[in-house]
C-alpha cells in the first residue's frame, strides 16, 4: 500500500500516537505504583519493593479469587457454547419465517446495558437463593455471552459447505457421526474463536458479577473495584498490586485471543 | 472535454514495493481505435489501465494526450479530471443508488440541469436496451443487466477514452458472447476510443482493431488480430494464441528456397512458415542456423488427417473431444510426442491413422527447452 | 433434520432467553409497578420523577453519555476511513486500541486515578512542557468520567466502523473517481451512505455503554453529586437501601430511555439509507 504522507496522514499518526502514549501511561502508572516505595513525586519511583503484593495477598484470599474467576469463566464458556451452537447451526442452515425476529430477540441482551437488566436479574437470583454463590455469578454472566457466541459462530457454520454434510451421509455416516466427525471438527476454528473471545469478555465483565457476587464468589475485577471504591481503607499501591494481577491475566487471555482472531472480530459486527 | 488525436504512453514503469510490474511500456492509441491488452493474469495489463486512468501512480515514464503531458509521475492530472471512463470487472455499481441515479451520478456532479440529465440517462438506457429499469437497484438485477448499467454509466459521460477491465469475465458463456456483440456494435456506433483488458484471446480477436499481447509487464507483440493470430512474434504469443503443438527440435538443413528441415525426436519436418525468414533476420547470429535448437509451433486445426504431400506422420488417437462441428483429439506419434489435432472426420480413441502438416503452417522459434517460455 | 423439528435447535437458547432475560425483565417491570406489599402502584415512578435529586440523574447521565458517544463516533469515522486499506504498523495500533476494551473500565479507571492525578505523569508532562501552569484536575469530576468513556468507547467505535468501511468494494471509490467525483464527494455520496448503518449501530452500542456508565462514574467522578448517574441511583436504591421495587423502577426507566434513543437513531438510519436491504459487495 503506498500513500504519500500528507497532512491527513500526519494528523492521523499524531492523534493515534497521543492515544497510545496515554494508554501506556495509564497502564504504566499502575505497574510502577504497585512496585514503588514512597513515590510521591518525580517521573519514576526512587525505591522499589514487592511488599504491596504481600500486603494484597494477606488482605485477599488470592487463591480463592483466582479460583472463582477461572471457574466462572470456564463454566460460562462451556455452557454458553452448548446453548449457542445448536442455535447458530439452525440460523446458519435454515431459512424460515420470523428468522429475523428470532435473531433480534436473541441479540436483545446485547443492546440493553448490563446495569438495566442486571438489577432485575439480581433480584430474581436473590429470590432463588442463587445470588452470592458461584452458580449465580455463572448464570448472570451467561446472559450477554450466549448472544455473543451465536453472533460469532453463525458465520463460521455458514462457511461449511452443506455438501460436506450431505457427502458424509451418502458415505454412510449417521446423523450423530456426521455431527461429531464432520461438523464439530470443521467448526472448531469458530468454536475456538468464540470460546476465547468469551473468555476475554467474562474475565473483564464487571457489572453483572458485581451485582450478584458474594464475598466467596467475586471475581478479580469485582475485588479490584471494591478496593478502589474504599480507597482510603488500603494504600493505593496495594490496590494497584491487585490491578497488576488482573492486568496480567487479562493480557495473557488477550494475546492468546489475538492469535486466533483479528481485533475487528472482537468488536462484534451486526448487520 | 477537449478532443484529441492520440494518447501515448512513453516508457511507463511501475513498481509495487520491490517488484516491477511494468517495464518500459510504450503504446500509442489513435482516436476511435479499439485496442485490447491481452495476457495471462498477473501480466500487468490491468496495471496499465489503472495507470492511464490515473488510479495508480506511475513510477516513471510519461502519458501524453497529443502534446499535453497528463502524468509524468510527479505532476499528475487526477483521475476525476482526465475525462476518461472505466467499466470494472465487478461492475462497481453503487449499491445504494438505483439505476437512474447510478447513471446520473457523474452528470449530477457536473451540476447539469435536471431535464438534460433525464434525457441523457434515457438515451444511455436506450443504447444498452434497459428502458424502464430506472428505479431498480443493482441487487435486483442479473449480472448481464448490471454490466449494461455499468456501460451506460460510462458512456453517458461521453468519455474521451473508454476503458474496460475484463468486463465480460463474470458472465456466463452465452451472455458473454451476446455482450461481446453489443460492445462491438456500441463501438461502431459511438466510435469512442477504447482500451480493453482481457485474458481471453477469442474476445480480443473478436473486438479489437489492435491487440497488445503482454507477459510479465512487457509487451510481446502489437498487431492487428490477423497478425497476432497468424504471425505470433514469439513462442509465448504462439502458445497463447492456440498453437498447441510446441515441440523442441533441431535445425538439420536449410534449403535454398528458405524452407527448413527440422528434426523432432527422430521425426523430420519441413517448415516453410512465413516467420522462418523473419526470425532468421531478427534472431541473433547463428540462432537459426544449422544445428540450432528451435521450437515448432503448429495449430491443431492445421494438422490434416490422411495422405498428404509433405510431413507425413503416423499416430494413434488417445482422447477425442466432441466439439459439435469438429472433433478435438490428442494423439501419440511414433516418436512418443503428443500431437493435438482438430478434424471434422469421425475418429475414435485407439484408432491408428496417418496425418500430415502443410509446411507453410509450421512456425519455428529459436530456443532450447530450458529457455522455453512457460506455457500460458 | 425435519423442518417441523427445526425449533429444537432453538429450544436451548430460547429457554435461556426467557428464563434469564425476559422473565427477570418482566419481573422487574412488575416490581417497579408494585410496592413492598405487592399492591399495584405508580408510586415508585412518581417518587423518582417527583424528586429533583433523583430526576436529575437522567439529565446527568445524558450529559455524559451523549457527548461521549458523539465524540467517539465522529472521531472514529475519519480514523477508520483513513485506515480502510490498511497501514504499516496497523497491528500495533489495533492492539493498543483493543487493550482498554478488554481490560475493562475498572482497571482503566484505577490507572487514570494515578496517571491523571495532580502528581501523575500527565500533569508532570503538561507542566514540564509549559502547556499549563498548575496541575489540571482530570479526575473526580465530569471530565474524568467523560475521558474514561472516550478512552474505552473510541476504539470500540473505531474497530467497528473499520469493519464496515473496509468491507466496501474499493472499486466503488474508483468508479466514482472516474465519473469525476472529488475525494470529498466520494466520501459524502458513496462511503457515508454505505456505512450509515454501521455508524448507526456503532452509535447505539456506544451509547448503551456510555448510558449505563457505573464503575468509572463512581471511581473517577463525584458519585454523590455532579456525576451521580442513573445507574448509581438504581444501584443505591436496590442494594444499599434494599428497596428492590424502587431500584427496579429506575432500572426500567433507564432501559426505556435507552431504547428510545436507539429508536431515534434507527429512524435516522432508515432515512439516510433508503435502499436498506442492499449491502455493498465484498
Amino acid at each position: 500500500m503506498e500513500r504519500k504522507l500528507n497532512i491527513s496522514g500526519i494528523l492521523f499518526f499524531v492523534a493515534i500516537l497521543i492515544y497510545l502514549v496515554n494508554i501506556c501511561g495509564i497502564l504504566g502508572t499502575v505497574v510502577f505504583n504497585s512496585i514503588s516505595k514512597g513515590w510521591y513525586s518525580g517521573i519514576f519511583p526512587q525505591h522499589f519493593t514487592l511488599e504491596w503484593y504481600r500486603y494484597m495477598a494477606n488482605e485477599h484470599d488470592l487463591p480463592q479469587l483466582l479460583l472463582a474467576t477461572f471457574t466462572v469463566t470456564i463454566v460460562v464458556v462451556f455452557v454458553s457454547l452448548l446453548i449457542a451452537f445448536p442455535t447458530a447451526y439452525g440460523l446458519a442452515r435454515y431459512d424460515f419465517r420470523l428468522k429475523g425476529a428470532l435473531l433480534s430477540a436473541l441479540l436483545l441482551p446485547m443492546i440493553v446495558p448490563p446495569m438495566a437488566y442486571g438489577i432485575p436479574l439480581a433480584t430474581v437470583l436473590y429470590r432463588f437463593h442463587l445470588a452470592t454463590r458461584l452458580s449465580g455469578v455463572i448464570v448472570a454472566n451467561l446472559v450477554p455471552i450466549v448472544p455473543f457466541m451465536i453472533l460469532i459462530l453463525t458465520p463460521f457454520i455458514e462457511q461449511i459447505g452443506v455438501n460436506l454434510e450431505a457427502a458424509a451421509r451418502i458415505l454412510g455416516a449417521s446423523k450423530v457421526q456426521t455431527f461429531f466427525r464432520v461438523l464439530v471438527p470443521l467448526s472448531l476454528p469458530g468454536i475456538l474463536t468464540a470460546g476465547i473471545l468469551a473468555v476475554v469478555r467474562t474475565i473483564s465483565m464487571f457489572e453483572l458479577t458485581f451485582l450478584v457476587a458474594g464475598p466467596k464468589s467475586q471475581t478479580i475485577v469485582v475485588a479490584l473495584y471494591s478496593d478502589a471504591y474504599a480507597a482510603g481503607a488500603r494504600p493505593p499501591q496495594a490496590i494497584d498490586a491487585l490491578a497488576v494481577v488482573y492486568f496480567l491475566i487479562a493480557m495473557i487471555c488477550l494475546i492468546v485471543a489475538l492469535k486466533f482472531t483479528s481485533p475487528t472480530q472482537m468488536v462484534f459486527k451486526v448487520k | 472535454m477537449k478532443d484529441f488525436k492520440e494518447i501515448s504512453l512513453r516508457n511507463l514503469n511501475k513498481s509495487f514495493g520491490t517488484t516491477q510490474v511494468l517495464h518500459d511500456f510504450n503504446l500509442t492509441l489513435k482516436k476511435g481505435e479499439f485496442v485490447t491488452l491481452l495476457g495471462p493474469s498477473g501480466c500487468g495489463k490491468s496495471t496499465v489501465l489503472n495507470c492511464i486512468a490515473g488510479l495508480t501512480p506511475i513510477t516513471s515514464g510519461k502519458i501524453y494526450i497529443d502534446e499535453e503531458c497528463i502524468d509524468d509521475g510527479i505532476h499528475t492530472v487526477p483521475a476525476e479530471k482526465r475525462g476518461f471512463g472505466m467499466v470494472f470487472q465487478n461492475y462497481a455499481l453503487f449499491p445504494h443508488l438505483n439505476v437512474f441515479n447510478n447513471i446520473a451520478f457523474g452528470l449530477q456532479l457536473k451540476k447539469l440541469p435536471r431535464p438534460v440529465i433525464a434525457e441523457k440517462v434515457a438515451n444511455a438506457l436506450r443504447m444498452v436496451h434497459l428502458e424502464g429499469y430506472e428505479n431498480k437497484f443493482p441487487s435486483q438485477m442479473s449480472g448481464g443487466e448490471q454490466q449494461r448499467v455499468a456501460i451506460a454509466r460510462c458512456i453517458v459521460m461521453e468519455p474521451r477514452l473508454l476503458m474496460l477491465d475484463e468486463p465480460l469475465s463474470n458472465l456466463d458463456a452465452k451472455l458473454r458472447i451476446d455482450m461481446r456483440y453489443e460492445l462491438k456494435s456500441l463501438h461502431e456506433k459511438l466510435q469512442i476510443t477504447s482500451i480493453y483488458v482481457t485474458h481471453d484471446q477469442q474476445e480480443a480477436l473478436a473486438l479489437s482493431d489492435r491487440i497488445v499481447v503482454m507477459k510479465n509487464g512487457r509487451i510481446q507483440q502489437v498487431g492487428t488480430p490477423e497478425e497476432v493470430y497468424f504471425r505470433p512474434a514469439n513462442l509465448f504469443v504462439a502458445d497463447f494464441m492456440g498453437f498447441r503443438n510446441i515441440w523442441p527440435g533441431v535445425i538439420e538443413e536449410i534449403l535454398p528456397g528458405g524452407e527448413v528441415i527440422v528434426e523432432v525426436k527422430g521425426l523430420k519436418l519441413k517448415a516453410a512458415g512465413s516467420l522462418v525468414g523473419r526470425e532468421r533476420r531478427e534472431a541473433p547470429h547463428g540462432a537459426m542456423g544449422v544445428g540450432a535448437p528451435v521450437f515448432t509451433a503448429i495449430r491443431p486445426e492445421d494438422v490434416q488427417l490422411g495422405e498428404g504431400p509433405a510431413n507425413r506422420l503416423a499416430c494413434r488417437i488417445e482422447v477425442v473431444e466432441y466439439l459439435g462441428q469438429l472433433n478435438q483429439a490428442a494423439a501419440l506419434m511414433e516418436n512418443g510426442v503428443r500431437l493435438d489435432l482438430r478434424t471434422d472426420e469421425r475418429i475414435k480413441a485407439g484408432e491408428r491413422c496417418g496425418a500430415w502438416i502443410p509446411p507453410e503452417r509450421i512456425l519455428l522459434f529459436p530456443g532450447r527447452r530450458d529457455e522455453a517460455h512457460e506455457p500460458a | 433434520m425435519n423442518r417441523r423439528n427445526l425449533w429444537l435447535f432453538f429450544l436451548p437458547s430460547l429457554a435461556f432467553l426467557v428464563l434469564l432475560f425476559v422473565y427477570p425483565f418482566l419481573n422487574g417491570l412488575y416490581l417497579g409497578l408494585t410496592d413492598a406489599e405487592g399492591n399495584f402502584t405508580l408510586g415508585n415512578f412518581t417518587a423518582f420523577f417527583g424528586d429533583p435529586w433523583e430526576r436529575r440523574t437522567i439529565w446527568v447521565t445524558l450529559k455524559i453519555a451523549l457527548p461521549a458517544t458523539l465524540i467517539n463516533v465522529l472521531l472514529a469515522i475519519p480514523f477508520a476511513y483513513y485506515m480502510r486499506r490498511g497501514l504499516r504498523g496497523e497491528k500495533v495500533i489495533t492492539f493498543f486500541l483493543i487493550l482498554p476494551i478488554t481490560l475493562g473500565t475498572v482497571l482503566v479507571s484505577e490507572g487514570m486515578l494515578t496517571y491523571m492525578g495532580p502528581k501523575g505523569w500527565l500533569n508532570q508532562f503538561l507542566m514540564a512542557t509549559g502547556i499549563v501552569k498548575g496541575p489540571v484536575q482530570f479526575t473526580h469530576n465530569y471530565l474524568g468520567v467523560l475521558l474514561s468513556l472516550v478512552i474505552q468507547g473510541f476504539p470500540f467505535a473505531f474497530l467497528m466502523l473499520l469493519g464496515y468501511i473496509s468491507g466496501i468494494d474499493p472499486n466503488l471509490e474508483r468508479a466514482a473517481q472516474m465519473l469525476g467525483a472529488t475525494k470529498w464527494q466520494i466520501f459524502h455520496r458513496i462511503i457515508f451512505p454505505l456505512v450509515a448503518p454501521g455508524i448507526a449501530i456503532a452509535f447505539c452500542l456506544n451509547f448503551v455503554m456510555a448510558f449505563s456508565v457505573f464503575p468509572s462514574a463512581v471511581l473517577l467522578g463525584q458519585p454523590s453529586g455532579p456525576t451521580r448517574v442513573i445507574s448509581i441511583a438504581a444501584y443505591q436504591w436496590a442494594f444499599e437501601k434494599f428497596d428492590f421495587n424502587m431500584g427496579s423502577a429506575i432500572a426500567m426507566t433507564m432501559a426505556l430511555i435507552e431504547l428510545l434513543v436507539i429508536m431515534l437513531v434507527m429512524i435516522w438510519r432508515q432515512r439516510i439509507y433508503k435502499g436498506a436491504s442492499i449491502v455493498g459487495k465484498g
Side-chain angles (χ1 to χ4, degrees):
Chain A
M1 196 70 238
E2 52 196 295
R3 184 181 283 129
K4 284 173 201 156
L5 209 60
N6 43 22
I7 296 175
S8 58
I10 293 167
L11 268 176
F12 177 88
F13 279 107
V14 167
I16 288 289
L17 204 68
I18 291 177
Y19 187 87
L20 298 191
V21 165
N22 279 294
I23 293 294
C24 292
I26 289 170
L27 300 175
T29 27
V30 172
V31 175
F32 274 115
N33 206 23
S34 75
I35 51 170
S36 73
K37 195 170 184 168
W39 182 27
Y40 299 113
S41 60
I43 300 176
F44 293 109
Q46 299 294 317
H47 306 284
F48 294 98
T49 171
L50 285 177
E51 68 178 270
W52 306 117
Y53 286 87
R54 228 170 297 132
Y55 182 97
M56 181 264 303
N58 283 336
E59 290 279 299
H60 290 285
D61 187 353
L62 205 54
Q64 166 81 38
L65 264 184
L66 292 175
L67 186 71
T69 306
F70 288 127
T71 315
V72 168
T73 308
I74 288 164
V75 176
V76 163
V77 168
F78 274 98
V79 174
S80 59
L81 251 177
L82 288 181
I83 299 176
F85 192 86
T87 304
Y89 181 83
L91 288 172
R93 280 285 185 268
Y94 298 97
D95 255 320
F96 47 89
R97 267 185 308 147
L98 300 179
K99 184 172 172 179
L102 178 72
L103 189 63
S104 319
L106 286 173
L107 298 185
L108 208 56
M110 291 180 84
I111 59 161
V112 180
M115 273 318 260
Y117 65 76
I119 289 174
L121 179 67
T123 318
V124 169
L125 291 178
Y126 272 105
R127 182 182 308 155
F128 291 106
H129 305 290
L130 284 172
T132 74
R133 297 174 188 211
L134 263 185
S135 50
V137 177
I138 290 167
V139 165
N141 272 292
L142 282 176
V143 180
I145 296 294
V146 169
F148 179 72
M149 283 252 186
I150 294 174
L151 209 58
I152 302 258
L153 277 176
T154 310
F156 274 100
I157 298 177
E158 271 169 356
Q159 278 171 16
I160 304 171
V162 189
N163 296 342
L164 289 175
E165 280 173 68
R169 298 295 298 279
I170 289 166
L171 292 172
S174 69
K175 277 184 189 176
V176 178
Q177 283 172 320
T178 307
F179 179 80
F180 283 106
R181 293 178 158 230
V182 178
L183 202 60
V184 170
L186 282 176
S187 44
L188 210 58
I191 293 175
L192 268 178
T193 306
I196 194 81
L197 290 181
V199 167
V200 172
R201 289 191 149 228
T202 314
I203 285 186
S204 63
M205 169 47 82
F206 167 74
E207 281 92 344
L208 291 173
T209 314
F210 173 66
L211 291 178
V212 296
K216 293 248 165 207
S217 59
Q218 63 179 351
T219 58
I220 292 198
V221 215
V222 175
L224 179 60
Y225 172 83
S226 313
D227 279 12
Y229 178 63
R234 290 184 184 80
Q237 293 91 331
I239 304 172
D240 280 340
L242 185 62
V244 170
V245 172
Y246 167 71
F247 173 61
L248 287 178
I249 294 171
M251 275 298 277
I252 290 167
C253 292
L254 176 62
I255 288 167
V256 173
L258 285 175
K259 287 254 177 263
F260 293 95
T261 60
S262 74
T264 27
Q265 218 171 357
M266 304 180 78
V267 176
F268 41 89
K269 185 178 171 184
V270 197
K271 279 248 164 89
Chain B
M1 194 56 74
K2 215 178 76 195
D3 217 348
F4 65 94
K5 286 203 193 68
E6 57 177 42
I7 295 176
S8 55
L9 317 179
R10 300 183 194 166
N11 295 319
L12 279 195
N13 280 290
K14 173 67 194 171
S15 308
F16 289 108
T18 51
T19 43
Q20 192 163 2
V21 292
L22 280 188
H23 302 265
D24 289 328
F25 193 93
N26 284 288
L27 183 68
T28 301
L29 303 162
K30 297 203 177 57
K31 187 178 157 47
E33 218 182 2
F34 197 113
V35 173
T36 297
L37 303 180
L38 175 66
S41 58
C43 72
K45 54 194 193 300
S46 292
T47 309
V48 175
L49 213 60
N50 286 325
C51 287
I52 302 176
L55 295 172
T56 303
I58 58 179
T59 308
S60 71
K62 289 185 165 82
I63 301 175
Y64 281 90
I65 298 182
D66 292 335
E67 303 309 312
E68 179 202 354
C69 178
I70 58 164
D71 201 342
D72 60 5
I74 301 157
H75 304 286
T76 299
V77 177
E80 63 269 23
K81 299 229 169 79
R82 293 192 181 186
F84 297 167
M86 178 119 127
V87 176
F88 294 85
Q89 184 175 7
N90 63 357
Y91 322 134
L93 297 181
F94 306 128
H96 59 303
L97 300 179
N98 64 16
V99 169
F100 181 91
N101 284 320
N102 257 289
I103 299 176
F105 185 84
L107 302 172
Q108 288 165 349
L109 293 179
K110 277 188 176 172
K111 304 228 164 20
L112 294 184
R114 272 160 188 272
V116 178
I117 292 180
E119 198 196 318
K120 281 182 181 247
V121 172
N123 273 335
L125 278 173
R126 204 172 309 124
M127 203 85 84
V128 296
H129 312 295
L130 280 182
E131 295 99 326
Y133 275 66
E134 285 86 346
N135 293 321
K136 286 210 178 189
F137 280 91
S139 60
Q140 300 166 321
M141 294 191 294
S142 70
E145 287 165 344
Q146 291 187 35
Q147 177 67 87
R148 286 159 201 264
V149 175
I151 292 167
R153 185 175 69 178
C154 241
I155 58 176
V156 82
M157 300 297 290
E158 296 164 21
R160 302 197 277 181
L161 173 68
L162 180 60
M163 293 180 276
L164 303 111
D165 189 359
E166 309 225 11
L168 306 183
S169 61
N170 281 358
L171 301 177
D172 60 51
K174 185 187 173 308
L175 209 53
R176 195 149 52 206
I177 292 172
D178 292 346
M179 281 304 294
R180 209 165 75 189
Y181 273 115
E182 291 207 23
L183 279 178
K184 183 94 179 170
S185 74
L186 212 58
H187 182 250
E188 306 272 287
K189 217 181 294 171
L190 301 173
Q191 291 295 321
I192 303 176
T193 317
S194 304
I195 180 160
Y196 188 96
V197 161
T198 185
H199 61 262
D200 179 331
Q201 80 276 49
Q202 294 293 338
E203 264 173 39
L205 292 172
L207 288 168
S208 326
D209 296 321
R210 272 198 301 158
I211 295 175
V212 179
V213 186
M214 291 178 63
K215 178 197 167 196
N216 294 342
R218 293 178 209 270
I219 293 183
Q220 304 295 308
Q221 185 173 9
V222 183
T224 64
E226 294 80 14
E227 281 168 353
V228 175
Y229 187 79
F230 286 113
R231 292 193 295 283
N234 59 33
L235 194 61
F236 172 78
V237 181
D239 190 13
F240 202 75
M241 295 310 295
F243 288 78
R244 292 180 61 168
N245 296 304
I246 292 177
W247 303 325
V250 174
I251 294 186
E252 205 173 77
E253 196 183 346
I254 299 181
L255 301 177
E259 289 161 321
V260 176
I261 307 291
V262 187
E263 190 241 292
V264 178
K265 274 206 180 175
L267 176 73
K268 290 196 167 52
L269 292 173
K270 194 205 271 182
S274 54
L275 207 77
V276 176
R278 214 179 99 202
E279 282 290 343
R280 278 182 74 186
R281 248 180 283 122
E282 288 175 4
H285 183 70
M288 291 294 270
V290 172
V294 288
F295 282 98
T296 66
I298 306 153
R299 286 183 184 281
E301 46 270 54
D302 290 335
V303 178
Q304 313 281 329
L305 284 184
E307 287 292 302
N311 294 337
R312 282 179 291 269
L313 43 93
C315 60
R316 201 185 70 218
I317 307 289
E318 300 271 300
V319 184
V320 180
E321 287 175 348
Y322 177 64
L323 301 181
Q325 289 217 326
L326 287 170
N327 286 312
Q328 159 120 11
L332 213 56
M333 297 191 292
E334 279 171 333
N335 61 357
V337 175
R338 181 185 145 138
L339 169 74
D340 276 314
L341 60 95
R342 278 186 179 193
T343 174
D344 49 3
E345 286 175 41
R346 298 185 109 206
I347 45 174
K348 276 203 207 89
E351 240 175 279
R352 290 184 174 280
C353 54
W356 68 285
I357 304 163
E360 66 276 13
R361 297 294 195 187
I362 301 180
L363 303 185
L364 295 183
F365 297 98
R368 255 176 243 284
R369 175 165 282 287
D370 50 316
E371 298 165 0
H373 301 260
E374 291 290 312
Chain C
M1 177 62 68
N2 192 329
R3 278 196 78 88
R4 198 171 293 169
N5 294 331
L6 192 58
W7 62 275
L8 277 174
F9 282 128
F10 305 108
L11 188 63
S13 58
L14 282 177
F16 146 85
L17 187 74
V18 169
L19 276 178
L20 294 182
F21 190 75
V22 179
Y23 169 65
F25 220 92
L26 291 178
N27 188 55
L29 208 57
Y30 168 78
L31 282 179
L33 289 168
T34 50
D35 60 20
E37 277 76 49
N39 303 314
F40 174 79
T41 174
L42 283 174
N44 297 315
F45 288 96
T46 51
F48 177 75
F49 285 100
D51 182 348
W53 173 241
E54 300 295 349
R55 191 174 55 207
R56 235 183 117 245
T57 56
I58 296 179
W59 171 236
V60 167
T61 317
L62 284 176
K63 215 172 72 182
I64 296 173
L66 277 179
T69 310
L70 277 174
I71 290 172
N72 292 337
V73 175
L74 292 183
L75 268 182
I77 295 171
F79 280 83
Y81 182 65
Y82 189 82
M83 224 168 99
R84 71 197 183 284
R85 303 270 165 272
L87 281 181
R88 225 177 291 160
E90 183 186 338
K91 286 215 159 139
V92 180
I93 293 176
T94 43
F95 176 77
F96 278 98
L97 286 171
I98 200 79
L99 209 52
I101 304 180
T102 43
L103 292 181
T105 337
V106 180
L107 183 70
V108 170
S109 305
E110 171 63 21
M112 279 174 69
L113 280 176
T114 319
Y115 174 69
M116 296 185 176
K119 284 176 185 158
W121 280 344
L122 186 60
N123 268 317
Q124 284 191 34
F125 170 80
L126 290 177
M127 287 193 288
T129 50
I131 297 173
V132 294
K133 286 216 176 68
V136 181
Q137 195 179 355
F138 287 107
T139 54
H140 298 298
N141 57 11
Y142 173 81
L143 185 63
V145 185
L146 189 72
L147 278 177
S148 84
L149 285 177
V150 172
I151 285 174
Q152 291 209 292
F154 167 72
F156 184 83
F158 172 83
L159 290 172
M160 229 180 123
L161 288 182
L162 187 63
Y164 279 93
I165 292 188
S166 57
I168 295 177
D169 176 9
N171 274 349
L172 294 184
E173 283 178 54
R174 300 206 184 107
Q177 206 186 350
M178 294 303 293
L179 292 167
T182 58
K183 280 218 168 71
W184 165 246
Q185 284 169 328
I186 293 173
F187 177 77
H188 133 99
R189 301 186 67 138
I190 306 295
I191 304 289
F192 185 74
L194 288 176
V195 271
I199 294 175
I201 288 170
F203 185 95
C204 286
L205 293 178
N206 230 293
F207 182 77
V208 167
M209 293 199 314
F211 194 78
S212 65
V213 53
F214 181 77
S216 62
V218 174
L219 298 180
L220 284 168
Q222 289 155 287
S224 54
T227 71
R228 184 172 183 265
V229 291
I230 190 163
S231 50
I232 296 181
Y235 175 78
Q236 284 176 340
W237 278 101
F239 295 99
E240 282 173 12
K241 301 178 188 166
F242 295 104
D243 184 342
F244 285 106
N245 301 82
M246 186 68 178
S248 295
I250 300 175
M252 291 300 120
T253 311
M254 194 169 145
L256 216 69
I257 295 174
E258 208 164 62
L259 291 175
L260 204 72
V261 173
I262 288 179
M263 262 170 56
L264 286 177
V265 176
M266 286 303 159
I267 290 170
W268 170 81
R269 167 189 162 165
Q270 284 293 322
R271 286 188 50 175
I272 199 153
Y273 194 69
K274 284 167 201 131
S277 59
I278 299 132
V279 180
K281 234 183 177 177

